[in-house]
Amino acid sequence: MTNLGYFTLDTLDIARAKAFYGALFGWTFDDDVSKSTYAHVADSNPPFGFTKVERPRDHPNLYFRVDDIAATCARVTQLGGKAAIPAESPTGLSCAVSDDQGVCFSLWQAGEGY
């Protein structure tokens, strides 16, 4: 069974999002993983973060955790969906995909320790 492994919320300004949600919910942020375009919420379950964008979506971006991102991307395509080329980060591999109806979500193959 594949479960939700991660999600992100869009924001126009990372610093403002950190200040607002930190004050509202007491969230802290992992500075080792966070960047100017991304902020990871520390000790969250499920894990999540904020992504800087120019135009926020009205929904979170869901990352479904998979064991083999290449095989899962191939399966998405076989089923009539679309898959981008996986990108590597310190947390592993991730890839934006869409189903056969155009609904977007992401896949995540966790790196060592995640």
Side-chain angles (χ1 to χ4, degrees):
M1 175 188 280
T2 298
N3 293 312
L4 180 65
Y6 202 82
F7 69 92
T8 58
L9 301 173
D10 292 346
T11 184
L12 298 172
D13 185 312
I14 292 290
R16 285 180 63 184
K18 287 170 69 174
F20 180 88
Y21 290 98
L24 180 64
F25 296 126
W27 293 346
T28 58
F29 297 86
D30 184 345
D31 291 331
D32 291 336
V33 179
S34 298
K35 303 173 186 172
S36 63
T37 59
Y38 176 76
H40 176 74
V41 178
D43 302 320
S44 57
N45 188 15
F48 73 100
F50 290 87
T51 302
K52 182 179 180 194
V53 296
E54 291 189 27
R55 198 171 90 165
R57 294 174 279 216
D58 59 357
H59 60 278
N61 185 27
L62 303 176
Y63 289 76
F64 293 97
R65 188 175 185 143
V66 298
D67 293 329
D68 184 338
I69 201 164
T72 307
C73 286
R75 185 72 177 136
V76 165
T77 303
Q78 289 172 347
L79 293 170
K82 294 181 181 179
I85 297 170
E88 189 171 358
S89 74
T91 62
L93 297 170
S94 62
C95 183
V97 300
S98 62
D99 68 14
D100 64 341
Q101 298 179 67
V103 176
C104 297
F105 59 97
S106 294
L107 304 173
W108 175 49
Q109 180 180 318
E112 186 73 29
Y114 288 92

